[in-house]
Amino acid sequence: MSAPHVQTPANGTPALDVARLREDFPVLHQQVNGKPLVYLDNAATAQKPAAVIEAISRYYREDNSNVHRGVHTLSERATAAYEGARETLREFLNAASTKEIIFTRGTTEAINLVAQAWGRANLGPGDEVLITHMEHHSNIVPWQLVCEQTGATLRVAPINARGEVEMDEFERLLGERTKLVAVGHVSNALGTINPVARMIELAHAHDALALVDGAQAMPHMAVDVRALGADFYALSGHKMFGPTGIGVLYGCEALLAAMPPWQGGGDMIKAVSFDGTVYSDLPYKFEAGTPHIAGAIGLAAAVDYLAGVGREAIAAYEADLLAYTEARLGEIEGLRLIGTAENKAAVASFVLDGVHAHDLGTIVDHHGVAIRAGHHCAMPVMEFFGVAATARASLAFYNTREEIDALVAALHEAREIFG
Ligand code: PLP
């Protein structure tokens, strides 16, 4: 049986009942600058359904307590909810065990955890880490830091004019010195969906590990870490309709078990004395201090919500909306899309002749339309395309063609003002 907001027409492709889904998102129903809000900044952070807001609120109203350490009822309830959230994430990612699900602050912290805990212990002079030219700064800077600390070298696979990784070059850069490949699943600046399964396969063929930055993939597609073969997979709750300040590092159990802890403190230890400390088992070894309990519970609620909507239905709907968006943007004279990969998620980055991206952002905001303007934490991408910044409309399944029309009308006005 399909979910109530999914209609399956005769051709078999599930269609979303978007009007109904929008009712689940309280923030969408407001006016901004006298116009109905059109929220097209989902790649920066996505909106939260009432189910997520209520799960967090319920936890604070009814169960708030610290986890793991208490024997009283509230603490037991909080612990059950927190560990239940871990199981929800495990199932959603198809990880083999909850030992492989580490709660972090987000993708950034997950990548830094691997760079510092795994990298410091396993990298040295002569070793290489391979990334791509389209990475978000959070999948560049942690590797620069650990390369500086260990004497390893950072290599960068080039991209082409469509914003796709040059796979021949990627393969050529892999060698016996490569110890780890770290790639984004989906580029936040370009929308490119990278062939991560193939990249992981190539990394493994060279005895290198593979980390995937999944921040932008999770809201748009089903992710199965075992089918992908990823050694590490990082995600952020707030990009997938969950709260800010919570994310996950998935790591293969054998790798995590062999890694030293990163941060030290409460909860990550079994015994502490001045003669030495015995660390906790997985996953707690990597969760020092009081975790973001409400965040984990909210993230699990977001996962349940996403699963209920249906990831295939989301992907099909967004593919159609992206095609519509790009076609409508194409009508605007002087507009250039940045990122035209064959395989794209619902992100449209663009520049408009004679109008700075920030001015575009401000003008469309007067029409109630929220887009992002800037380098999108991907300065090397901007440099490659020879632009200082782009305007970016990033879509979610609750966006509509009418909203794209509102964006396009606002862009026409910007064109007139500056034209
Ligand atoms: N990776 C990608 C591709 C992103 O788009 C982002 C955020 O925009 C991040 C990593 C960092 O995510 P967070 O700030 O939630 O840690």
Side-chain angles (χ1 to χ4, degrees):
M1 212 181 79
S2 62
H5 35 251
V6 178
Q7 299 145 350
T8 306
N11 68 8
T13 309
L16 294 181
D17 184 350
V18 172
R20 177 162 174 187
L21 287 170
R22 287 177 67 85
E23 293 302 316
D24 295 336
F25 291 82
V27 81
L28 295 179
H29 308 285
Q30 62 176 294
Q31 303 244 318
V32 167
N33 294 322
K35 302 275 169 48
L37 168 66
V38 173
Y39 188 77
L40 300 175
D41 194 17
N42 294 287
T45 200
Q47 297 301 348
K48 323 304 175 201
V52 168
I53 299 166
E54 275 156 22
I56 296 166
S57 170
R58 194 181 319 115
Y59 164 72
Y60 280 127
R61 282 170 186 278
E62 296 173 15
D63 299 331
N64 177 53
S65 185
N66 212 330
V67 289
H68 300 147
R69 283 165 285 208
V71 288
H72 59 80
T73 304
L74 285 196
S75 179
E76 278 169 11
R77 291 212 301 251
T79 304
Y82 182 69
E83 292 305 327
R86 199 188 305 277
E87 168 57 19
T88 301
L89 268 296
R90 182 208 65 72
E91 194 186 346
F92 197 58
L93 294 170
N94 193 29
S97 157
T98 49
K99 291 180 184 169
E100 302 183 319
I101 303 295
I102 314 290
F103 283 120
T104 64
R105 279 197 300 128
T107 303
T108 304
E109 190 174 71
I111 296 174
N112 276 279
L113 193 165
V114 177
Q116 289 300 311
W118 177 87
R120 282 216 187 196
N122 291 283
L123 293 173
D127 292 338
E128 294 180 359
V129 173
L130 177 61
I131 61 171
T132 81
H133 201 113
M134 74 173 82
E135 300 309 319
H136 187 279
H137 296 164
S138 64
N139 199 29
I140 300 175
V141 185
W143 305 114
Q144 288 176 327
L145 286 169
V146 76
C147 283
E148 262 171 40
Q149 289 156 351
T150 61
T153 304
L154 188 62
R155 298 262 178 244
V156 183
I159 56 176
N160 64 24
R162 288 188 302 276
E164 296 160 327
V165 175
E166 297 270 24
M167 285 303 287
D168 288 353
E169 283 299 302
F170 177 84
E171 209 169 334
R172 202 184 57 75
L173 284 163
L174 278 165
E176 57 184 41
R177 289 167 183 265
T178 317
K179 292 290 176 293
L180 180 115
V181 170
V183 288
H185 200 158
V186 172
S187 159
N188 66 312
L190 301 167
T192 311
I193 303 175
N194 280 316
V196 285
R198 175 75 184 134
M199 292 163 127
I200 293 166
E201 195 179 30
L202 287 168
H204 289 169
H206 290 83
D207 292 328
L209 299 180
L211 174 145
V212 180
D213 166 355
Q216 295 294 343
M218 294 305 296
H220 303 296
M221 61 189 72
V223 171
D224 179 330
V225 289
R226 274 191 282 177
L228 282 178
D231 298 298
F232 300 105
Y233 197 97
L235 63 88
S236 293
H238 69 103
K239 310 239 189 232
M240 50 191 286
F241 316 101
T244 52
I246 188 79
V248 166
L249 170 69
Y250 158 81
C252 235
E253 185 177 342
L255 288 169
L256 291 175
M259 278 158 56
W262 176 33
Q263 296 177 329
D267 248 22
M268 52 76 73
I269 52 88
K270 276 184 181 157
V272 177
S273 82
F274 292 118
D275 295 327
T277 290
V278 182
Y279 305 127
S280 286
D281 297 326
L282 291 174
Y284 312 110
K285 184 171 85 173
F286 293 108
E287 292 182 4
T290 300
H292 187 2
I293 305 161
I297 291 167
L299 176 54
V303 161
D304 287 342
Y305 182 86
L306 265 174
V309 176
R311 319 209 74 198
E312 267 181 40
I314 289 173
Y317 177 79
E318 288 182 353
D320 178 75
L321 192 61
L322 177 67
Y324 181 78
T325 304
E326 294 193 338
R328 293 269 6 238
L329 290 175
E331 294 166 10
I332 300 170
E333 209 190 309
L335 186 143
R336 175 162 70 109
L337 278 177
I338 303 287
T340 50
E342 215 163 280
N343 201 8
K344 265 189 81 169
V347 172
S349 253
F350 55 91
V351 289
L352 189 55
D353 276 353
V355 193
H356 195 282
H358 285 110
D359 292 330
L360 276 180
T362 306
I363 292 169
V364 304
D365 181 57
H366 292 153
H367 293 255
V369 180
I371 60 170
R372 185 144 295 245
H375 54 63
H376 315 296
C377 294
M379 282 182 166
V381 172
M382 301 297 119
E383 199 187 352
F384 176 81
F385 284 96
V387 295
T390 71
R392 181 187 70 186
S394 53
L395 319 179
F397 59 82
Y398 44 61
N399 292 127
T400 63
R401 288 186 173 208
E402 292 70 33
E403 289 184 311
I404 301 305
D405 294 341
L407 166 69
V408 170
L411 290 173
H412 276 299
E413 185 182 304
R415 178 114 207 90
E416 272 163 35
I417 293 172
F418 287 87

